Amino acid sequence: AELLGVLLKRAAVPLAGLLWQGVQPLVALVMHSEESGLLENACDVMVCLVQRSPAQIIDAGLVVPMLQCVERLLGPGLDDGACFFVGPFLTLLLEKFGSSFPPHVVAGLLHALVTRLARAKLPYLQQELLVVVARLLHQDMPGVVTALANAQVSVNEGAGSRNGMELLLSLWLANAEQVRARRARNVTITALCRLHDRCADDESLRSLR
């Protein structure tokens, strides 16, 4: 995966030949591997792919498989190290293709993001997951608030579940000091300010505890 990433950064686009033929096996690797270092490299390569040739991703029908990769990386079966770059990868997918995602897909991503955030231990991962949620709030605050307010999210096995929006805000405020990068602080703080402003007109937010 690391070698493929180096080659992709220098290759002409659209990608062709053996280089492009390596993309499908890369996606399959992400869906089955449990090795943290390998998954980190693979995620970095997919970021490069989407940045350099988004049209090819669409034409090859790879958007859905990449979303499935995100779902797996956010899932409970992998440690924090394995999904270290899932935040930037998902942010990029939303930036390039998010306008075509149906509401139920975005709702599923939000549920997975908040669930992973509740389990994350590494400060960098916490920061990047909060950035993704903040960007989604900037793009569609009513939709995000509604989706999370209507969701029940399991915190830990055997610990029951909590309202998705309530859990997000409690995690966000508890981990705010972990958000250190300037661009991350900017996007998260402005999203929180907009949420606060919305409280006056949104009963679902005012009723949170």
Side-chain angles (χ1 to χ4, degrees), residues 113-121 129 153-156 167 171:
L113 280 164
V114 176
T115 302
R116 186 75 211 196
L117 182 60
R119 295 170 175 159
K121 303 297 182 186
L129 295 179
V153 179
S154 298
V155 183
N156 288 303
L167 178 58
L171 292 167

Side-chain angles (χ1 to χ4, degrees), residues 15-129:
L15 302 168
L18 292 175
L19 202 55
W20 180 249
Q21 291 173 25
V23 175
Q24 288 281 9
L26 177 73
V27 172
L29 181 150
V30 174
M31 292 301 296
H32 296 99
S33 177
E34 295 185 1
E35 185 181 335
S36 295
L38 194 151
L39 287 170
E40 276 189 47
N41 287 331
C43 206
D44 193 39
V45 172
M46 288 194 291
V47 166
C48 181
L49 276 168
V50 176
Q51 286 174 330
R52 298 214 61 213
S53 196
Q56 271 186 286
I57 300 297
I58 294 173
D59 293 343
L62 286 171
V63 175
V64 170
M66 285 188 168
L67 284 173
Q68 291 170 340
C69 289
V70 168
E71 183 180 20
R72 178 164 192 263
L73 291 167
L74 289 172
L78 299 172
D79 61 29
D80 280 4
C83 56
F84 208 58
F85 293 125
V86 70
F89 180 41
L90 180 51
T91 295
L92 187 62
L93 288 176
L94 290 165
E95 177 188 322
K96 297 293 186 182
F97 314 121
S99 61
S100 66
F101 294 170
H104 74 275
V105 170
V106 177
L109 289 171
L110 284 165
H111 190 283
L113 280 164
V114 176
T115 302
R116 186 75 211 196
L117 182 60
R119 295 170 175 159
K121 303 297 182 186
L122 295 178
Y124 176 81
L125 181 58
Q126 294 167 348
Q127 170 184 282
E128 293 306 309
L129 295 179

Side-chain angles (χ1 to χ4, degrees), residues 11 22 121 169 174 186:
K121 303 297 182 186
L169 288 175
N186 286 343

Side-chain angles (χ1 to χ4, degrees), residues 138-149:
H138 280 296
Q139 291 171 12
D140 180 19
M141 182 164 290
V144 171
V145 170
T146 299
L148 287 177

